[in-house]
Structure formats: C-alpha cells, structure tokens
Amino acid sequence: MAGVQTAVALREQGFRGPVTLIGAEPHQPYDRPPLSKAVLLGKAEGSAFDVDFESLGVGLRLGLAVTGLHPGRRELDTADGPVPYDALVVATGAEPVRLPGTEGVPGVHLLRTLDDAERLRPVLARQLDVVVVGAGWIGAEFATAAREAGCAVTVVEAAGRPLAGALPAEVAAPMAAWYADSGASLRTHARVERVEPGAVVLDDGSRLPAGAVVVGVGARPATSWLTGSGIELGAHGEVVADDHLRTSVPDVYAVGDCASFPSGRYGERLLVHHWDNALQGPRTVAADIAGEAPGPYDPVPYFWSEQFGRFVQYAGHHGSADTVVWRGEPAGPAWSVCWLREGRLVAVLAVGRPRDLAQGRRLIETGAVMDPALLADPGRPLKKAAV
C-alpha cells in the first residue's frame, strides 16, 4: 500500500521524473486486508491494486529483494546489481514475529502475504483443527474466518485477555466473550511450550490437537536490510522519520509500517501498523519530493477490524488520556468508548457504531472539548456532546 500510493501520489503531484517500484514479492502489488477475509476463504483469487502502472509511467521490478543501502553513492544493493536513486522512499512494511522453535515444523503458518493466505486456504477448505497463537487483531480475524469455514478453533493467548497490547483491560475484556459466541475456544494466560506435528503443547502440559497452527504474535518493521546504512532506527527497529517522513539521511524517506513519526497532536512519536497510515503518509512524501512544501504529517491514526460478526473501528491514540467514557453496554451488539485528555477527545473505539467513529474522528482532528455527561448518552449523536 505505502509503496504503490507513493508512486501514484508522485504522479498526482506532477512529478515527471522516472519512478521505479521495487518489491521482493513476485506478485503484482496487492492490498493486504482481504488476505484475512475474502482471499483466505476462497471468495477472491487475489487483491491486486487496480492501478495501471504502465500508463502512469511507473516501472515495476518485482521479485527483487533490496539487501542494502549506500547513501554516499545513492545506490541500493540487489541481486541484479546496484540500483541508483535521486530520491528513495523506504516502504518495506513490517514482518511477522515468528514463534521460537517452530522453524521447519510442518503445519505452522503465518498470515502476512498473499502466499501465506494461499497456503492457508486448503487448511480451511479441509476444516482442520486449528490452533491460533495470539489473540491480537490478526489472530481474531483468522479465527473468525476459520470458524466461518467450519474449523474447530482454539486461540491461545499469553496475556489475560484479547488485544492486551492494543487496548486497556477494561475495554478488551468484554471482547473475550466474542470467541465463545462464535464457537471458538479462547485460552488466556496460556504459553506455548512447543509445537509438534499435529499438536501444540502448552507450558501447563496440556496438548491441543492441531491440524494447523497459525502464529499471530505481532510484527516488527522490516528494516534489517538498513543495517550499516547510517539511517537512524528506533527502539522497535523502525526508521525514525521527521514530521515530513524524511529520514536521518538526505533524500531518503520512510512511510508506512516501517517508520515512526513525531505527532504534535499527541506529543509523542507514533509507530502505526495500520492500513490508513500507509494510505495517508505517501501524500506527504510525494509532495515533499515534488517540492510542494506540505504541512507536517500528523494524522489521527485509524484502523478497523472485522471479527466474530462485529465491525470494530478505532481512531486516535489513547495513551495519554485521563478520562474514559462508555457509550452503551459492552455486552450488547453496539457500543463505543471515548478517551478524553483535559476534556478534549483524543480517541474513540466503536463496535457496530460507525457514526460514532466518523463523528469522533472529526472531533479529534479539531481538538473538540466534550461534555462527559452528554457523551455517555448513547442515544445522543457524539458530535452533540461537544461543548
């Protein structure tokens, strides 16, 4: 997404120089969200972007991994030899974290690429017993698809609740019931001791039958190829970009999952592993390359997830909030949570309430001050709670 959108945005900004998109995968550039849904379930053969690269004058070099960067020479290392650049945009995304000890074990899968989804389709088609390791966003989405396909699903999570790394305990805890409602088994405080052919062994000695194991324990920026390049990397291995997504090296930019940026809105550096960031950031990068002097990149982060028959949306960043306001009952089919800081809306989570999300996102952008008492009334439009 980030690479394709940068190329498209460059042309939209009037950039007339050569543009080359290099990708390690052999496939035409594709969108990732359908991989855990339509592609996985066999409802779609792929999710290639509907972009006419030839008419845009964008060259594609597919199936070519970039292995190094030499800013002094303005060159990239590849198996086909050095590739020169005038401006470089790093959009290498993130790579899934592997479960230690599972390398080479038959039946262990990740879900990040089109090839991953293609390897998992027969698992669902054969309705194998599936163990999902990790109850984060990708684990929940895969479990949803596997249940829809008729598989027996057990999700094991080391923390005490789903989405432990993404949401506060009181917000994530009600989501645990969604698993049972769908017929999936969720085992929290469960750590994997080892994976054997046909089984997952937990640290309490219990054995879970597993025709397939899907690992969803997180992702990290795909930046190891930048080692020794002089580009500053952060604590999570991400490229440290400025508020125009420029790196510490001249004429090198970084966008999407692989880069963090300083947020004036939230007063901290953000590393956002979500689709919307890969859509929005390229516009800033392209404008800067084209000499258009864009404003600082400071979006309201946004993402969504479809899981267990529910549409979950989130906008903002709740880390510094001092007040939490619920709209509706979390046991019900539709509810929202709003986070305030000094009376201003900074984040909103909406389950089955897309209007709350849309209005909340605009209120966050404008820094609106909210009346908590009015905000707590789920029958009142969220925007009507603004002071």
Side-chain angles (χ1 to χ4, degrees):
M1 169 61 80
V4 168
Q5 290 298 323
T6 301
V8 171
L10 279 166
R11 293 308 189 211
E12 290 176 345
Q13 293 285 346
F15 182 80
R16 296 183 179 180
V19 176
T20 302
L21 187 61
I22 303 176
E25 294 185 62
H27 312 289
Q28 284 287 308
Y30 61 87
D31 203 8
R32 292 194 189 279
L35 299 186
S36 61
K37 306 172 185 70
V39 175
L40 189 60
L41 288 167
K43 298 177 180 179
E45 290 303 314
S47 56
F49 289 112
D50 185 18
V51 176
D52 188 340
F53 293 101
E54 184 176 356
S55 69
L56 284 176
V58 173
L60 297 181
R61 300 189 65 176
L62 305 177
L64 181 64
V66 176
T67 56
L69 167 62
H70 304 280
R73 302 200 301 267
R74 293 180 178 253
E75 282 184 350
L76 297 168
D77 289 334
T78 76
D80 287 353
V83 176
Y85 69 85
D86 294 310
L88 172 68
V89 181
V90 178
T92 44
E95 55 195 5
V97 175
R98 297 179 180 273
L99 195 64
T102 60
E103 292 284 349
V105 178
V108 177
H109 299 264
L110 300 167
L111 180 52
R112 181 75 184 185
T113 67
L114 179 59
D115 288 338
D116 292 337
E118 293 290 351
R119 282 188 286 265
L120 277 165
R121 280 169 70 165
V123 169
L124 272 58
R126 291 160 57 193
Q127 297 185 334
L128 298 179
D129 291 346
V130 177
V131 172
V132 180
V133 183
W137 299 113
I138 193 65
E141 290 186 3
F142 178 80
T144 299
R147 285 299 300 139
E148 184 176 334
C151 298
V153 178
T154 301
V155 181
V156 297
E157 169 58 51
R161 62 186 186 278
L163 297 169
L167 296 173
E170 67 272 20
V171 177
M175 298 176 177
W178 300 355
Y179 288 78
D181 291 346
S182 75
S185 173
L186 173 64
R187 297 187 59 161
T188 56
H189 300 292
R191 293 186 177 275
V192 175
E193 180 71 27
R194 65 185 182 277
V195 177
E196 301 174 349
V200 172
V201 181
L202 303 181
D203 60 357
D204 64 0
S206 57
R207 295 172 62 87
L208 306 175
V213 179
V214 178
V215 178
V217 294
R220 59 186 165 221
T223 56
S224 60
W225 65 280
L226 292 170
T227 301
S229 68
I231 287 185
E232 181 184 356
L233 301 181
H236 302 283
E238 83 282 8
V239 177
V240 175
D242 69 7
D243 60 2
H244 287 75
L245 301 177
R246 297 174 293 217
T247 73
S248 58
V249 170
D251 298 316
V252 178
Y253 300 78
V255 65
D257 291 5
C258 67
S260 66
F261 57 90
S263 170
R265 188 190 313 277
Y266 292 105
E268 60 182 284
R269 181 167 285 275
L270 300 181
L271 176 59
V272 180
H273 282 272
H274 293 295
W275 184 92
D276 193 64
N277 181 46
L279 174 69
Q280 303 292 342
R283 297 168 186 166
T284 295
V285 170
D288 202 79
I289 292 174
E292 295 296 323
Y297 183 63
D298 195 9
V300 173
Y302 166 73
F303 70 88
W304 79 96
S305 176
E306 297 176 62
Q307 50 184 268
F308 308 118
R310 293 165 174 85
F311 188 42
V312 184
Q313 295 172 282
Y314 178 96
H317 179 64
H318 64 265
S320 62
D322 53 37
T323 303
V324 180
V325 179
W326 289 77
R327 289 169 57 80
E329 294 297 324
W335 47 276
S336 298
V337 181
C338 296
W339 286 269
L340 309 178
R341 183 182 66 221
E342 298 178 351
R344 297 184 185 277
L345 187 66
V346 294
V348 59
L349 171 80
V351 177
R353 292 180 65 99
R355 187 170 299 176
D356 276 7
L357 189 286
Q359 294 179 10
R361 191 176 185 181
R362 288 193 291 269
L363 291 166
I364 295 169
E365 289 172 345
T366 60
V369 175
M370 311 298 292
D371 182 325
L374 299 179
L375 193 60
D377 178 4
R380 181 187 299 271
L382 196 148
K383 63 183 180 182
K384 296 295 186 181
V387 176

